[in-house]
Amino acid sequence: MNRTQPLVLGIESSCDETGVGVVRGTTLLANTVSSSMDEHVRFGGVIPEIASRAHLDAFVPTLEQALAEAGATLDDVDAIAVTSGPGLAGALMVGVCAAKALAVATGKPLYAINHLVAHVGVGLLDDRATGKQQALPENLGALLVSGGHTEILRINSITSDVELLGSTIDDAAGEAYDKVARILGLGYPGGPAIDRVARTGNPKAIRFPRGLSQPKYMGTADEPGKHRYDWSFSGLKTAVARCVEQFEAKGEEIPVADIAAAFQEAVVDVISSKAVLACREHGIKDVLLGGGVAANSRLRELTGQRCASAGIRLHVPPLDLCTDNGAMVAALGAQLVMAGAEPSGIGFAPDSSMPVTSVSLPA
């Protein structure tokens, strides 16, 4: 196996995107994604069974397109990497079974990859505009914000040492966006809808709660509270629902734009403030923002402002590499190959709650 510039095929199926990417070393050759989002719209959220069936239908065409774009065949591939967790159990199973079948049929080594760490690994891909090779700074922080996860990480080694500093204790930020969008009648997916409507609203019109920001949860730098770097969005969602009910009870028109703007401000305020706090108190000078909610304009703006004020450099991958995709899986797989890591084999099972501290599954 070529461990210097390996050609790695990456497979992602943790939620509603079927992604296949091809990477040679740190160079992205193909990133093909088939989304089943339109099939979930009428339900107001992702239906696991529908997502799993969509992966079955989309996998072969997506694989063929990715290989064609990369100008490669399965024989050319040095290794296969697949998301083994976290994610929806049924959806993960489709991708893992497909990857195992390919590994058995071709005799290629298979690496079981952590979906969350892969979001960070995408930052190692060559800059597509300049072709310049990129490197992850030492003591890097990663702020991952998506429909299923909201976490702040410290990356000591992208292949072997990832530390969880803080996470949501209930809803993820993207999940809260979807639920609030449903309350406001804005449809699914909620993130883009609320971001769009919020631009015409007043974020100061209503003061919504910032979860886990009270002193009893925060503590101090010397004696940190249990949830100093954690988030909670379930109470915020309930506050929005109660606010809407109050307007309805009075027979008044619901100020959707103002509520959307105030809700969004509450989310991005607490995410950015706690992320910057965690980075400052751990000496982190660089932070990568990833996950689907990284596309949110206000999150990018406020996080950028607060990072700059704290002397922290913010890195944001291209938007098509922030959402779930096969390129990020291939990128992390290539790093493991180049680091000399042993393949996972085919005896592993997908793990829907795979901890972020497990970069890949051992053989």
Side-chain angles (χ1 to χ4, degrees):
M1 178 169 53
N2 178 3
R3 288 192 179 271
T4 305
Q5 289 289 312
L7 186 68
V8 179
L9 177 74
I11 298 169
E12 156 63 25
S13 69
S14 64
C15 191
D16 60 342
E17 283 103 2
T18 307
V20 179
V22 182
V23 167
R24 182 181 293 283
T26 58
T27 303
L28 177 61
L29 302 181
N31 182 34
T32 305
V33 178
S34 174
S35 175
S36 62
M37 183 180 294
D38 290 345
E39 298 179 44
H40 305 281
V41 169
R42 65 192 177 102
F43 300 103
V46 176
I47 305 301
E49 179 65 19
I50 293 176
S52 300
R53 291 180 180 273
H55 287 310
L56 283 170
D57 292 337
F59 179 73
V60 172
T62 306
L63 172 65
E64 291 175 341
Q65 183 180 343
L67 289 172
E69 289 180 6
T73 67
L74 287 174
D75 287 340
D76 299 324
V77 171
D78 290 303
I80 300 169
V82 62
T83 292
S84 60
L88 301 175
L92 288 169
M93 193 173 296
V94 175
V96 167
C97 287
K100 288 182 178 182
L102 288 174
V104 170
T106 62
K108 307 294 183 180
L110 177 60
Y111 290 81
I113 298 295
N114 188 304
H115 161 91
L116 298 178
V117 183
H119 274 298
V120 184
V122 79
L124 281 162
L125 292 174
D126 299 346
D127 187 293
R128 285 183 287 185
T130 64
K132 183 180 178 181
Q133 186 171 348
Q134 303 186 100
L136 294 180
E138 291 184 4
N139 199 22
L140 172 71
L143 175 59
L144 305 183
V145 190
S146 70
H149 304 277
T150 305
E151 299 179 327
I152 181 73
L153 315 174
R154 177 160 63 181
I155 312 298
N156 300 308
S157 167
I158 190 65
T159 58
S160 62
D161 189 358
V162 174
E163 180 183 355
L164 178 65
L165 300 180
S167 66
T168 178
I169 65 170
D170 41 55
D171 291 349
E175 186 180 5
Y177 267 91
D178 288 339
K179 290 178 178 179
V180 168
R182 192 179 309 132
I183 292 170
L184 297 177
L186 297 177
Y188 175 84
I194 288 180
D195 194 17
R196 182 175 59 253
V197 172
R199 293 169 189 167
T200 62
N202 177 9
K204 297 182 180 179
I206 304 164
R207 173 72 183 184
F208 285 126
R210 274 66 169 162
L212 300 182
S213 60
Q214 298 91 339
K216 64 179 179 179
Y217 298 118
M218 296 294 293
T220 64
D222 294 330
E223 296 184 12
K226 180 180 179 182
H227 296 296
R228 186 168 179 80
Y229 309 132
D230 293 335
W231 297 278
S232 171
F233 300 108
S234 62
L236 172 59
K237 172 203 65 181
T238 301
V240 172
R242 296 294 174 266
C243 178
V244 170
E245 289 172 0
Q246 289 173 6
F247 279 103
E248 291 175 335
K250 296 176 183 177
E252 298 177 1
E253 182 179 351
I254 299 171
V256 173
D258 286 349
I259 293 175
F263 161 78
Q264 177 161 275
E265 195 66 18
V267 172
V268 301
D269 178 23
V270 73
I271 286 178
S272 58
S273 63
K274 286 206 169 195
V276 169
L277 177 66
C279 289
R280 288 177 58 188
E281 294 185 349
H282 286 82
I284 294 171
K285 294 297 184 181
D286 293 85
V287 64
L288 182 144
L289 175 62
V293 185
N296 181 273
S297 62
R298 182 58 179 152
L299 177 63
R300 293 159 70 96
E301 178 185 30
L302 188 57
T303 304
Q305 292 172 354
R306 287 180 168 169
C307 282
S309 297
I312 299 170
R313 290 176 291 272
L314 179 65
H315 307 264
V316 185
L319 289 183
D320 63 326
L321 296 179
C322 286
T323 53
D324 295 345
N325 61 82
M328 67 184 195
V329 179
L332 180 55
Q335 291 298 314
L336 288 166
V337 172
M338 291 187 287
E342 290 300 314
S344 304
I346 61 171
F348 68 91
D351 183 357
S352 60
S353 57
M354 186 177 182
V356 71
T357 49
S358 297
V359 177
S360 64
L361 296 179

